[in-house]
Amino acid sequence: MDKFKGTGVALVTPFKEDLSVDYTALEQLVNHVSGGGVDYLVVMGTTAESPTLTGAEKLEVLRFVKSKNHKNLPVVYGLGGNDTMALVSKFKKFQEDVDAFLVVCPFYNKPSQRGLQLHFEAIAAAAKKPVILYNVPKRTSVNMTAKTVVALAQHPNIIGIKEASGDTVVQAEEIARKMPDDFLLISGDDDLITPFIKCGGHGVISVIANALPGHTSDLVNAALAADYSKAKVMANDMEEILGLLFSEGNPTGVKELLRQMGIGNGGLRLPLVEASEGLKEKIANEYKVLDTKKGMI
């Protein structure tokens, strides 16, 4: 599935002061990342604050993004949960046109590896479009092992994984050695793009690409072309801002950087909160540095 190779961006959901969805800012964002050269759009990932949006809001955001997707980039929709049968029912009823689904590991109930495999096989059988697995144990409290991923990779409707385990590169290397040739291995960590691709990965679903789509896409493309020296320099250029963006949680930092770039107001829905004054100042200082570097902003 070449259309999911390269840079995907996990879109934030901008809010107005009353915390309703800010569709004007969302249109700005879609234009910004599309113009910056990302390869596909991810709607309702974790970065979208999806746990705090209603089902109706999620669908409205998806429809809006598609209506403003003038470059006709592929669209991946996040749809996950920890009640397998309820989720299967949602997939069977889902009528929106998307290119693939991003489905996170079940959270809180901590299933076994066999439970994970059966969960995803049930979803893949119900989904009308291809499924990309999402392994992020720091949020779900369960790690889907390489063995389980490789087993699921045999399913005809499971086409890849967004891998963000605590031991990401090591686990990615094991998956890469054993996965089918047409299976997608996608990084979920912006700070590991180059080593992830070097070990057999195909790209990233990125947070920082909301703000720095051009730089992120160029970094990914350099790594995919095996120009690791160039990719290393580019990764070093955004190392400082990456540390700041995640220092108070995601998407707090990237929403603040976007605010300083004139996209949205930086607001989040509880229990997440906007950046502290100290972080705002640090991001502002680093934003000035980035602004002087050609091609970064």
Side-chain angles (χ1 to χ4, degrees):
M1 301 292 286
D2 287 348
K3 62 185 175 182
F4 301 121
K5 293 181 179 179
T7 303
V9 54
L11 295 169
V12 306
T13 306
F15 298 124
K16 298 178 182 178
E17 292 300 325
D18 65 0
L19 296 181
S20 62
V21 177
D22 186 343
Y23 288 101
T24 300
L26 183 56
E27 181 177 4
Q28 284 182 277
L29 180 63
V30 172
N31 290 337
H32 175 63
V33 299
S34 300
V38 302
D39 297 293
Y40 58 99
L41 308 175
V42 179
V43 179
M44 288 303 125
T46 309
T47 304
E49 297 173 69
S50 52
T52 68
L53 274 75
T54 67
E57 286 176 320
K58 291 175 183 179
L59 290 178
E60 185 59 33
V61 168
L62 173 62
R63 292 165 184 157
F64 184 83
V65 169
K66 287 168 55 182
S67 75
K68 302 303 176 182
N69 182 19
H70 302 307
K71 288 197 172 185
N72 200 31
L73 298 176
V75 174
V76 177
Y77 185 66
L79 184 58
N82 59 356
D83 179 342
T84 305
M85 298 318 297
L87 195 53
V88 164
S89 178
K90 287 182 180 180
F91 274 98
K92 287 181 176 178
K93 295 175 182 177
F94 195 85
Q95 298 297 323
E96 303 296 322
D97 185 23
V98 298
D99 293 277
F101 295 103
L102 181 65
V103 186
V104 71
C105 283
F107 40 86
Y108 188 72
N109 38 16
K110 298 183 73 171
S112 67
Q113 294 302 307
R114 176 164 169 73
L116 288 172
Q117 184 171 340
L118 293 174
H119 173 84
F120 281 113
E121 287 175 347
I123 289 165
K128 299 179 180 70
K129 290 294 178 71
V131 168
I132 299 172
L133 312 171
Y134 182 17
N135 185 39
V136 57
K138 59 191 172 186
R139 289 186 179 272
T140 64
S141 297
V142 61
N143 177 48
M144 184 160 53
T145 66
K147 182 179 180 180
T148 303
V149 174
V150 173
L152 285 168
Q154 310 308 313
H155 195 289
N157 204 33
I158 296 177
I159 62 169
I161 184 169
K162 178 184 177 184
E163 172 59 38
S165 68
D167 202 6
T168 301
V169 175
V170 173
Q171 186 152 309
E173 287 175 341
E174 185 176 354
I175 295 170
R177 287 196 305 270
K178 300 175 181 178
M179 68 187 185
D181 290 341
D182 59 352
F183 191 72
L184 291 163
L185 184 54
I186 303 166
S187 176
D189 294 303
D190 281 319
D191 58 340
L192 295 174
I193 291 172
T194 303
F196 193 95
I197 290 175
K198 196 172 183 178
C199 79
H202 300 107
V204 66
I205 293 179
S206 171
V207 173
I208 199 170
N210 280 278
L212 307 179
H215 188 83
T216 308
S217 298
D218 287 347
L219 191 166
V220 170
N221 290 337
L224 287 172
D227 190 347
Y228 301 122
S229 296
K230 179 180 178 181
K232 182 178 180 180
V233 170
M234 298 187 74
N236 288 342
D237 283 343
M238 68 180 191
E239 182 178 9
E240 184 68 26
I241 192 64
L242 267 179
L244 293 174
L245 294 193
F246 291 96
S247 64
E248 293 184 2
N250 181 49
T252 296
V254 74
K255 275 195 160 185
E256 174 56 24
L257 178 56
L258 286 167
R259 183 191 70 80
Q260 295 188 19
M261 296 171 63
I263 300 175
N265 62 11
L268 297 93
R269 287 182 177 177
L270 288 170
L272 301 181
V273 295
E274 68 179 41
S276 65
E277 292 304 315
L279 181 57
K280 289 179 180 180
E281 183 178 354
K282 290 177 182 177
I283 290 176
N285 291 336
E286 186 61 20
Y287 177 49
K288 293 176 184 177
V289 174
L290 298 178
D291 205 24
T292 65
K293 295 181 179 180
K294 184 179 179 181
M296 288 204 70
I297 290 183

